[in-house]
């Protein structure tokens, strides 16, 4: 992945039509800068393995809490273990935005916000905190449902979201109803999310190290072309991408 920035040289500005003596007063014509424009690319390492490993570890901690492996008094300690996930996934989101991957960046930013909300509510122990988290998880469920529609070419990311959907649903309903079986179900689904995210992170890391797919990830469409295509494919429509074009 790479970041992009555009810079233009002002060479030849004295010969621009707006600076010629025959130009009508009050009017200015800008020169065509296309021949003087250079787009510089700065490659960066993929932040996605870090993002998925973070999802896996945080999901294990919250899942174990929901399964009753920790006492209720341990929720503060669990909150402190989950809190670093916010910082790590926020970092992944920033790097993904810089790499012009808006889907990955958006997903990681929302995950980061969810871990921060969970950690603060669990550590504070405020009244009705679980009900509030229930509504919050149902909102995440809506977000995830929309994300599945745009992440299908990125099959690893799509699968992490797909297995997160039932967990968000179970967590949301258990928070609103207080049903113990829904809490336990959410804990089991949290471990499933952790397994899928761990696999995705490991597969992406191996791929980055060996510059080829080692474990199947299932990319298709533009995601497959982005990895298997040549440099000309990577630069296609670059002038229309965010950070290069004039406005978002």
């Amino acid at each position: 992945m790479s970041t992009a920035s555009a810079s233009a040289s002002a060479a030849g500005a004295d010969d621009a039509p707006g600076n010629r003596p025959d130009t009508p007063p009050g009017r200015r014509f800008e020169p065509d800068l296309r021949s003087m424009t250079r787009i510089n690319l700065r490659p960066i390492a993929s932040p996605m393995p870090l993002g998925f490993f973070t999802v896996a570890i945080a999901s294990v901690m919250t899942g174990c809490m929901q399964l009753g492996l920790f006492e209720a008094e341990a929720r503060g300690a669990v909150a402190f273990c989950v809190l670093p996930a916010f910082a790590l996934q926020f970092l992944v989101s920033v790097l993904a935005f810089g790499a012009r991957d808006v889907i990955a960046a958006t997903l990681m930013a929302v995950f980061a916000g969810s871990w921060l909300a969970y950690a603060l509510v669990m550590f504070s122990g405020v009244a009705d905190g679980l009900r509030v988290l229930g509504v919050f998880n149902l909102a995440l469920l809506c977000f995830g449902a929309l994300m599945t529609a745009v992440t299908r070419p990125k099959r690893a990311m799509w699968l992490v979201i797909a297995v997160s959907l039932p967990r968000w649903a179970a967590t949301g309903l258990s928070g609103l109803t207080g049903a113990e079986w829904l809490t336990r179900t959410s804990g089991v689904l949290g471990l499933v999310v952790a397994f899928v995210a761990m696999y995705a992170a490991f597969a992406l890391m191996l791929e980055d190290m060996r510059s080829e797919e080692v474990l199947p990830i299932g990319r298709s469409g533009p995601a497959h072309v982005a990895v298997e295509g040549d440099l000309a494919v990577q630069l296609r429509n670059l002038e229309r991408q965010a950070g290069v074009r004039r406005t978002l």
Side-chain angles (χ1 to χ4, degrees):
M1 292 195 286
S2 59
T3 58
S5 62
S7 62
S9 169
D14 291 339
D15 296 330
N19 296 327
R20 294 173 183 169
D22 58 345
T23 302
R27 300 192 62 183
R28 180 176 177 83
F29 296 90
E30 294 292 339
D32 187 351
L33 299 179
R34 286 177 295 182
S35 62
M36 297 180 284
T37 301
R38 299 293 182 269
I39 297 176
N40 303 313
L41 301 177
R42 180 168 57 86
I44 64 173
S46 172
M48 296 309 295
L50 173 61
F52 285 135
F53 273 129
T54 303
V55 171
I57 295 172
S59 295
V60 167
M61 298 305 299
T62 57
C64 289
M65 185 72 190
Q66 292 173 316
L67 288 173
L69 299 181
F70 303 131
E71 298 295 333
E73 293 76 13
R75 64 184 183 183
V78 173
F80 272 120
C81 289
V82 171
L83 188 58
F86 158 71
L88 292 175
Q89 293 209 273
F90 181 75
L91 172 62
V92 172
S93 174
V94 171
L95 293 175
F97 273 120
R100 298 174 290 122
D101 193 332
V102 66
I103 296 177
T106 301
L107 178 65
M108 289 296 143
V110 173
F111 267 125
S114 68
W115 298 129
L116 178 62
Y118 176 88
L120 293 179
V121 172
M122 294 297 290
F123 179 74
S124 64
V126 294
D128 270 351
L130 292 180
R131 288 180 60 84
V132 172
L133 285 178
V135 176
F136 182 74
N137 276 275
L138 292 180
L140 285 177
L141 176 64
C142 298
F143 161 79
L146 295 175
M147 288 295 289
T148 56
V150 296
T151 56
R152 186 173 295 273
K154 302 184 175 194
R155 199 57 56 84
M157 191 181 302
W158 179 87
L159 189 57
V160 171
I161 300 174
V163 296
S164 296
L165 292 179
R167 195 204 181 187
W168 286 329
T171 303
L173 293 176
S174 68
L176 292 177
T177 64
E180 189 68 19
W181 70 273
L182 282 173
T183 302
R184 296 289 187 262
T185 300
S186 178
V188 173
L189 291 172
L191 298 183
V192 175
V193 172
F195 174 79
V196 174
M198 194 79 71
Y199 173 84
F202 186 62
L204 289 173
M205 185 171 289
L206 284 178
E207 180 182 80
D208 191 68
M209 291 173 58
R210 301 187 183 181
S211 300
E212 62 180 0
E213 185 178 281
V214 180
L215 296 175
I217 300 178
R219 287 190 182 93
S220 62
H224 177 76
V225 174
V227 174
E228 301 296 334
D230 56 20
L231 184 60
V233 174
Q234 306 301 311
L235 301 180
R236 187 178 299 165
N237 295 325
L238 183 62
E239 69 276 7
R240 296 182 178 87
Q241 297 187 16
V244 178
R245 62 177 183 256
R246 184 181 297 275
T247 65
L248 297 177

